[in-house]
Every structure is written in structure tokens, then in C-alpha cells.
Amino acid sequence: MTWHTFLSFGTMGHRHLFFVYAGVWLVQAGYLGWIALNWQKTGRN
Amino acid sequence: MARSPVFRNIGWLWFLASIAVLVVGFRQAIFLVPTESTMGDVQRIFYYHLPHAILGLIFPYVNFLASLSYLFWRRRDPLKALTADALAVASAEVTVLYVGITLASGMIWGKPAWGIWWAWDARLTSELLLWLLYVSYLLVRRFSLSGQTGVLAAIISVFAAIDVPIVFMSIRWWRTQHPAPVFGDGGSLDPSFYPAVLWNLAGWAMWGVFILIFRFALERRRQLNEQEKALKAIEASLEIPQ
């Protein structure tokens, strides 16, 4: 498989493959970002 | 986590190592391992689905042990109980994250592979139940007005942990739409796929440990701030002239 086929949305299979990989990174990074944001907000007294 | 520069540096190193392993895992999964003959490229979803599924059955036990510790220490040593409680909430959130990704990635894979998004078979239903149990756990912690929220949550956690072996064994005990085990005796996974599985399993495990510890540190920081505020309030009340 190449970048070209990974990013080709011609078939349902290729679309769903991309959605899973992009979605997993997005959700995991989003959760990490939420923790980091709250870490900054909470601060140390 | 940022209590000392040493902890912070170890945290950063662990985070960067996780990213490096995940990049290798991505490269293995998308570009290097051969295409599976039956399903084609969509089978590569497996390399993200499986690690999240495995880890989604391990983090509940961190929650379970932390909850048992909380129940044990809550009268004997409340400060230790608070630490256990912080670990319990962190591991419950990470469980919801990993099990949620397992369910979502399985559904997105199921549509092109089976022609359906969902089947009410034993594996999928018990996994959904696991996710709902930990969502309930977090909702109880967030919205319960009882003074015994920690105890209630810990009891839910003990019940939720019972579902984990049921999820694990479901594809052995019952005939399911979900495939049979692919590792171990009788497993159908070709050894040429192992590098993608193992790199991604290592990467998402390292990432999971990192976010678990970071979330635990956040909860401890919140607890310590609240303790400090409570102490200041008590001190202020003692200073009021009678």
C-alpha cells in the first residue's frame, strides 16, 4: 500500500480505513489535549 | 508529574518514545505488511482495532485494583484512599476511551467487511456493556450528590470488572459474528502480519500508560488544591475574633 492508495477514497473500504486511522489519532490527541488544558487551568497553589 | 524536573523529563521521554513507536507501527500497518487476501486493504483497520481491544480489557483491572484499595484504605488511611481514588478515575476514563475506540473502529470495519455496522452477538454486546458500565461509573462520580460517591463508584467498578472475562471469553464460549481468536492455538493470523500487530500494541500501550499517569497526576493536583483550600478556610475561620 502507498500514501496514494491510503488517501484514495474510491471504495468504502479505503474510506473506512482512513476514517479509523485519522479518527483514532484525533480522539487520542483530543483527550491528551483536554488533560493538558486542565493541567494548565488547575495550576499549583 | 511536574513535581520535579526528573519526573517531567521522564514523562517527556516516555511521550516521545510512544510517538516514535506509533510512527513505526503506522508504517508497518499501512506500508510494509502484505495485504490480506480476503478483505484487502480494509483489514489494516485490525492493527489499530486489536491493540485498543486488548488494552481496553487491561485498564479496567487498574480501575478494579484502585477501587479495592480505596475501599480498603478509606477508614484506615484517608490520604492513601484519595490517591487510590485518583488512580481509579484516571483508569476509568482511559478504559472508556480505549473501549469506545474498539467499538467504533469495529463498527467502521464491520460495514465494508460484513455489510452491517452492528450485530447483537455475545462479543459486541458484552463489549458495549463494558463501555456503558464505565460511562455509568464516570456519571455517578460526576453527578451523584451522595456523600458516599467514592464508595458507590468503587462498588460499580467491582461489578464492571466482572464483565471483562465475559468479553474475553465470549468468542470462545459462543458462536459469534465476531471472528474467533487470531492468536494462540488454532489462531488464523499469518506470522507476516505480526510486526504490525506488535509495534502497534507496544505503541498504544505506551501511549495509554502515558495518558493514564498524566490524568492521575491531574486528579492528584486537583485533590491537593482542594485540600489546601479547605485548610485555608479552616485557618481563616479560626482567626475570626469571637
Side-chain angles (χ1 to χ4, degrees):
Chain A
M1 202 178 183
T2 61
W3 277 114
H4 182 73
T5 44
F6 180 58
L7 297 172
S8 82
F9 298 131
T11 66
M12 184 198 281
H14 283 105
R15 280 195 297 274
H16 285 212
L17 176 66
F18 177 81
F19 291 155
V20 166
Y21 276 69
V24 166
W25 277 99
L26 204 67
V27 170
Q28 291 276 16
Y31 181 60
L32 179 63
W34 177 83
I35 299 173
L37 191 70
N38 279 283
W39 180 260
Q40 292 298 327
K41 271 191 198 168
T42 305
R44 289 180 76 184
N45 286 342
Chain B
M1 191 174 273
R3 189 174 292 175
S4 77
V6 177
F7 278 125
R8 197 167 44 216
N9 290 341
I10 290 172
W12 273 111
L13 277 175
W14 188 267
F15 172 71
L16 293 174
S18 310
I19 296 288
V21 173
L22 284 169
V23 168
V24 175
F26 177 84
R27 186 165 170 265
Q28 284 285 344
I30 297 297
F31 303 122
L32 297 183
V33 294
T35 304
E36 201 265 342
S37 57
T38 316
M39 281 184 271
D41 282 332
V42 75
Q43 180 270 346
R44 293 175 199 274
I45 289 176
F46 172 76
Y47 306 120
Y48 268 26
H49 176 75
L50 182 80
H52 284 90
I54 292 173
L55 295 163
L57 297 182
I58 293 173
F59 289 124
Y61 280 109
V62 178
N63 177 263
F64 175 67
L65 294 175
S67 298
L68 286 184
S69 300
Y70 172 78
L71 291 173
F72 180 80
W73 288 115
R74 72 192 171 98
R75 293 200 196 284
R76 293 175 178 85
D77 187 339
L79 290 178
K80 278 186 184 168
L82 269 180
T83 307
D85 195 50
L87 184 59
V89 70
S91 53
E93 280 187 16
V94 176
T95 297
V96 167
L97 178 73
Y98 273 69
V99 174
I101 287 174
T102 304
L103 285 167
S105 61
M107 286 172 70
I108 297 170
W109 187 11
K111 182 63 178 170
W114 304 336
I116 49 172
W117 293 99
W118 184 262
W120 290 102
D121 75 3
R123 166 54 70 91
L124 276 66
T125 308
S126 56
E127 183 86 4
L128 176 64
L129 190 65
L130 185 68
W131 186 76
L132 288 172
L133 282 164
Y134 281 97
V135 170
S136 315
Y137 173 92
L138 293 174
L139 289 174
V140 164
R141 292 191 66 103
R142 176 74 181 81
F143 295 111
S144 171
L145 297 174
S146 157
Q148 298 290 314
T149 302
V151 179
L152 286 173
I155 292 167
I156 293 175
S157 157
V158 172
F159 284 122
I162 296 169
D163 191 36
V164 175
I166 298 173
V167 175
F168 181 75
M169 293 305 290
S170 58
I171 50 176
R172 292 162 179 83
W173 287 342
W174 297 290
R175 187 181 294 273
T176 56
Q177 175 82 24
H178 188 280
V182 291
F183 280 117
D185 291 339
S188 57
L189 192 71
D190 190 90
S192 60
F193 298 139
Y194 285 1
V197 173
L198 296 176
W199 277 105
N200 281 298
L201 183 59
W204 289 115
M206 289 173 74
W207 176 274
V209 168
F210 175 76
I211 54 173
L212 175 70
I213 293 172
F214 195 6
R215 179 66 184 86
F216 168 72
L218 170 62
E219 196 59 26
R220 285 297 294 153
R221 184 179 261 202
R222 276 183 180 156
Q223 288 175 346
L224 293 172
N225 283 350
E226 277 174 24
Q227 279 176 4
E228 210 161 304
K229 273 183 200 163
L231 277 174
K232 276 181 187 165
I234 291 169
E235 278 170 14
S237 71
L238 291 175
E239 283 167 10
I240 295 169
Q242 299 297 314

